[in-house]
Amino acid sequence: MAITKVVLYFIQAFTQLLQAPQDDADTIIKERFPVPRLVICDQHGSQARFLLAKLNPSATYNSDIPAVPGGDILFTDDVSFEVFLDHLQRRPKSKLSPEVQFHIRGVQFTLDGELVAAKSAKLAKLLKEYPQNDLSRLLCDIPADPESFELVGRFCHGYDIKLLNENIVQVVCIAHYLGMTENHCPNNLLNKALYFFEHQILPNWNNSIKALKSAEIVHEQAVNLGLVDACIESIVTKVQEDPCLLGEPIKNLSSDDDDGDEKENVHKPNARRRLFDLEWKPEDLEVLSLRFYEPVIHEMFQRKVPQEYVASSLRRYAKQWVFQKEENGGKEIVESLERLLPHQKGIFPCKFLFEMLKSAVSLHASIQCKNGLEIRIGQQLDQANVKDLFIPSPGYTGDEQYSIESIRRILKNFYSNYTGLDSSGFIKVAELVDNFLAEVASDIDLKMSTFLSLADMSIAVSDGTDRSSDGVYRAVDIYLDRHRHLTESEREKLCRVLDCNKMSVEAREHAVQNERLPLRLVVQIMFIGQLQLRDTITKEVQGSDDRIMKSEEDEEETRAEMEKMESKVLELERECQIMREIQRGSCTNVKRQKPSMWKEMKRKLGCMTTMHDHNCHVKKKKVHPR
């Protein structure tokens, strides 16, 4: 295997060595006008002698110039270059043909009128009608660029031209405009260009894409002549035969994917193609502008090309033209791509759809565009991660950094369109919103109203599940830690989003010792803990009753245990009754024989002895951070 690679490497290197002189000659030819003729020959061969005779037959059998030492005497009747130049200078100027000027995109061309008229029916007609006038103003609308028109000028002067993928569409448009048809002159340019277009461009995938891309300069003329439709038809037909030309389908649908999967999406040519064409790889459709790319994708959907392959092309096009070039017409592109995106669930990663939505917001795209992306995201929100939810707010000036309404609409779309067989999707989304709430809680600039809106959404998405409210509690704790300037009343308002009944034992233990929480909330959590402890003990007592019915041998021991638990329950009931009266703000029913724990706490805090004040603790003044 290693020897084969070495042999292939040396073959490729030797081929490049032989090709280098010809590439240099092609480069020189492109810079010359008129174009010289390239003749490839062997030294001392027949073509070499012919070439020397044509170049400058100065040392011939009928000339007086001696041959160069070591050189050959050429047998030719052609005149030397000096003789030809002398004859051209002696030619009367009155017999020279008129010159015609062309202005192509700021570049001026001056061509021989008779030579051009011999090939162009349009110019021949103009020369007859306006023999003495300047025709440049009548030819100002030529559909061409300077490079392509230069090729046409060379053809009119009798030189061979090289048609390429990048210039064939322009050459066809120029030849059609000038009327360079077979009816006017045999072997004319239009027929040659159309033959090249039909046999060299349309059968090849790469050539069709390059030709279609070059039609941007002469878009209107190319559409009228059917060149654009022919290229689109060729591209779509080849995709129907081999969808892998668009790239491999997107396999990784998680939001943590990166550009690493792009390496897997490169189309790999088959073994035969790799053997005979080491440099071949398919041209990507994303090189096309939107005016050509959009009709190509529309036609693919009409022809029922598999959507997963089209989605791969759409994703790469968005990465190149939207995510990297947002300043160059990005709004029009993102709106057009949104219309092209399939609505099939799971065909795009959730991360890609969020990137499209963020670009649409930053580019001020239409409401229909943003709504369409939000609907697609809502279908697969359970595949998103926390970073995806950081959607910028429209017109963000520092007050509202996150688009709360956009997140709310996405959640609504998710719950409206969820079709899962179990509640796993709901649980994932609830955890996602809790984690997002904890992330934004550490933002020192986050308003409390915005935080409360997000917390309400987190509570709403947890409805219908058995999830605890520990996530909301964690976010509240982080927010209080980052916003220590909040007053006691603001802290109480913030903590209203907590459902103490759904907090786990660990969260309640942490909350009881949390100095950042309002005192009223701490008391409520302690009270709920006592109630849950009572329920637990009651269940244990009931379980003991069941065990008594089953076992008669341990009857006395069980009765003792039961009496002990009942006394403990009565004691807890008395304590719970006291806690309820504390919550109501009144302690009149508490027995005077036993001192109240709550009165002792109030006495230490310096509060009044009456229990009718619901907010007995000292109110702090609102302190703002320095």
Side-chain angles (χ1 to χ4, degrees):
M1 185 65 183
I3 297 176
T4 304
K5 290 184 178 179
V6 172
V7 172
L8 289 175
Y9 173 78
F10 279 110
I11 292 176
Q12 186 177 9
F14 185 69
T15 303
Q16 292 177 354
L17 179 65
L18 297 179
Q19 185 66 24
Q22 187 171 350
D23 294 340
D24 294 339
D26 292 337
T27 303
I28 296 174
I29 288 175
K30 292 180 180 179
E31 299 175 355
R32 302 284 179 87
F33 183 75
V35 181
R37 181 180 179 184
L38 177 63
V39 178
I40 301 176
C41 57
D42 298 330
Q43 187 177 8
H44 302 300
S46 58
Q47 283 292 331
R49 293 192 295 272
F50 175 77
L51 179 62
L52 292 175
K54 286 294 183 183
L55 285 177
N56 189 13
S58 56
T60 62
Y61 70 97
N62 59 357
S63 64
D64 298 331
I65 302 176
V68 179
D72 297 330
I73 297 178
L74 303 176
F75 294 88
T76 178
D77 294 328
D78 292 336
V79 298
S80 64
F81 179 73
E82 290 81 3
V83 176
F84 170 74
L85 184 60
D86 181 66
H87 175 75
L88 187 62
Q89 291 175 350
R90 294 180 182 180
R91 184 180 181 184
K93 294 184 178 180
S94 59
K95 294 184 179 180
L96 294 176
S97 61
E99 295 180 344
V100 180
Q101 292 184 350
F102 298 85
H103 298 277
I104 309 297
R105 299 182 182 270
V107 180
Q108 180 177 333
F109 292 89
T110 302
L111 303 180
D112 188 302
E114 290 185 0
L115 295 179
V116 178
K119 301 290 185 180
S120 170
K122 184 179 183 69
L123 190 60
K125 181 179 179 181
L126 291 176
L127 287 175
K128 289 182 180 179
E129 295 178 357
Y130 310 99
Q132 302 299 330
N133 295 345
D134 183 13
L135 302 179
S136 59
R137 60 183 181 84
L138 301 176
L139 301 171
C140 60
D141 57 342
I142 296 180
D145 60 301
E147 292 77 11
S148 301
F149 187 79
E150 183 178 353
L151 289 177
V152 177
R154 293 177 179 180
F155 179 82
C156 294
H157 282 77
Y159 298 99
D160 293 334
I161 62 175
K162 187 174 183 180
L163 298 176
L164 302 173
N165 306 323
E166 294 77 9
N167 61 32
I168 183 60
V169 175
Q170 294 94 317
V171 171
V172 171
C173 293
I174 299 172
H176 180 268
Y177 175 86
L178 294 176
M180 304 176 71
T181 62
E182 296 297 309
N183 294 333
H184 183 71
C185 175
N187 298 324
N188 215 341
L189 181 59
L190 182 59
N191 188 54
K192 293 179 178 294
L194 291 176
Y195 183 86
F196 182 87
F197 182 81
E198 180 181 358
H199 293 85
Q200 297 296 328
I201 299 299
L202 298 183
N204 186 275
W205 166 267
N206 286 4
N207 295 348
S208 299
I209 295 178
K210 292 178 181 178
L212 186 59
K213 178 184 177 183
S214 66
E216 184 72 27
I217 303 175
V218 291
H219 176 263
E220 183 179 354
Q221 292 77 11
V223 171
N224 294 335
L225 293 177
L227 302 178
V228 172
D229 291 340
C231 290
I232 293 177
E233 176 67 22
S234 172
I235 293 172
V236 176
T237 302
K238 291 176 177 57
V239 169
Q240 286 181 294
E241 298 174 355
D242 184 9
C244 290
L245 290 170
L246 297 176
E248 293 296 330
I250 305 170
K251 297 180 180 179
N252 187 6
L253 296 181
S254 66
S255 291
D256 297 329
D257 62 344
D258 50 17
D259 294 335
D261 62 339
E262 291 296 327
K263 297 180 180 179
E264 298 180 359
N265 288 346
V266 177
H267 177 65
K268 299 178 181 180
N270 55 37
R272 178 178 298 180
R273 179 167 284 165
R274 290 199 305 268
L275 179 62
F276 292 100
D277 193 350
L278 300 176
E279 301 297 330
W280 188 91
K281 79 170 187 177
E283 193 77 24
D284 294 326
L285 289 179
E286 53 261 30
V287 300
L288 300 176
S289 63
L290 183 62
R291 65 166 63 183
F292 293 133
Y293 183 78
E294 188 172 5
V296 169
I297 299 299
H298 271 303
E299 189 65 23
M300 288 184 184
F301 284 132
Q302 294 292 331
R303 302 285 188 89
K304 306 299 181 182
V305 175
Q307 292 190 359
E308 56 270 20
Y309 292 95
V310 182
S312 176
S313 178
L314 287 169
R315 186 189 185 195
R316 291 200 305 272
Y317 195 87
K319 285 189 175 183
Q320 179 171 339
W321 291 92
V322 178
F323 305 153
Q324 300 178 5
K325 301 179 180 180
E326 292 188 353
E327 69 281 358
N328 299 328
K331 177 182 177 181
E332 180 185 358
I333 295 177
V334 74
E335 291 177 351
S336 298
L337 289 180
E338 186 277 326
R339 293 191 296 267
L340 292 173
L341 296 182
H343 287 270
Q344 181 180 342
K345 177 183 177 181
I347 197 169
F348 288 104
C350 205
K351 178 181 179 180
F352 168 75
L353 296 176
F354 270 106
E355 288 178 348
M356 287 286 293
L357 179 58
K358 294 174 184 178
S359 299
V361 172
S362 61
L363 293 170
H364 306 287
S366 63
I367 298 178
Q368 294 79 4
C369 174
K370 290 182 281 191
N371 289 343
L373 292 170
E374 290 173 356
I375 292 174
R376 292 177 176 87
I377 293 173
Q379 294 177 348
Q380 54 191 69
L381 184 60
D382 51 340
Q383 300 172 2
N385 61 20
V386 176
K387 294 182 180 179
D388 296 335
L389 295 180
F390 285 90
I391 304 171
S393 178
Y396 166 57
T397 59
D399 295 334
E400 294 184 0
Q401 184 175 358
Y402 316 110
S403 180
I404 307 302
E405 292 302 319
S406 179
I407 298 176
R408 195 188 307 276
R409 289 192 297 268
I410 292 174
L411 288 171
K412 181 179 178 181
N413 291 326
F414 173 76
Y415 283 100
S416 301
N417 301 303
Y418 185 74
T419 57
L421 300 177
D422 52 16
S423 61
S424 60
F426 291 113
I427 295 176
K428 287 182 180 179
V429 172
E431 293 176 352
L432 174 67
V433 177
D434 285 349
N435 294 333
F436 175 72
L437 184 63
E439 284 285 335
V440 300
S442 61
D443 185 4
I444 192 65
D445 297 326
L446 183 65
K447 291 184 176 181
M448 189 169 68
S449 59
T450 305
F451 178 85
L452 291 175
S453 299
L454 290 171
D456 290 338
M457 283 190 290
S458 178
I459 295 172
V461 299
S462 298
D463 289 343
T465 63
D466 56 353
R467 296 187 66 253
S468 65
S469 59
D470 291 0
V472 180
Y473 169 70
R474 181 166 65 97
V476 170
D477 184 43
I478 295 174
Y479 189 86
L480 291 175
D481 182 56
R482 292 288 294 170
H483 301 78
R484 295 178 178 269
H485 60 278
L486 297 179
T487 63
E488 189 72 14
S489 60
E490 290 174 336
R491 291 172 184 265
E492 290 182 356
K493 181 180 179 181
L494 182 71
C495 293
R496 289 175 185 172
V497 298
L498 288 176
D499 188 355
C500 302
N501 293 305
K502 289 188 176 182
M503 293 177 62
S504 63
V505 177
E506 293 79 6
R508 287 199 302 269
E509 292 177 354
H510 183 275
V512 170
Q513 302 175 4
N514 194 342
E515 298 178 354
R516 293 184 286 271
L517 296 179
L519 184 59
R520 184 186 299 273
L521 179 65
V522 175
V523 174
Q524 183 180 359
I525 293 174
M526 293 174 62
F527 174 69
I528 292 175
Q530 292 290 338
L531 291 179
Q532 291 183 355
L533 179 61
R534 175 192 171 187
D535 294 339
T536 303
I537 294 175
T538 303
K539 291 179 181 180
E540 290 181 356
V541 171
Q542 293 176 354
S544 299
D545 292 339
D546 295 338
R547 289 193 297 271
I548 290 173
M549 298 298 295
K550 295 179 181 179
S551 176
E552 297 180 355
E553 297 179 357
D554 300 332
E555 182 178 356
E556 294 182 0
E557 182 181 355
T558 303
R559 284 181 179 178
E561 182 181 355
M562 185 174 178
E563 292 176 357
K564 183 179 179 180
M565 287 188 176
E566 286 179 353
S567 62
K568 192 173 182 180
V569 169
L570 292 176
E571 183 180 354
L572 287 174
E573 286 180 349
R574 289 195 295 270
E575 292 182 2
C576 290
Q577 182 65 24
I578 295 173
M579 298 301 291
R580 289 194 185 96
E581 292 174 358
I582 291 174
Q583 287 297 105
R584 299 191 189 98
S586 176
C587 292
T588 57
N589 295 331
V590 181
K591 292 183 179 181
R592 298 181 180 271
Q593 289 79 0
K594 188 175 182 179
S596 173
M597 182 187 304
W598 180 246
K599 285 184 178 181
E600 184 67 20
M601 186 182 298
K602 289 185 61 178
R603 185 184 65 78
K604 291 182 180 180
L605 295 174
C607 298
M608 298 175 61
T609 57
T610 178
M611 299 300 294
H612 296 289
D613 188 3
H614 291 272
N615 192 11
C616 64
H617 48 270
V618 180
K619 292 188 177 181
K620 299 181 182 179
K621 294 183 180 180
K622 188 173 183 179
V623 180
H624 296 281
R626 296 179 180 177

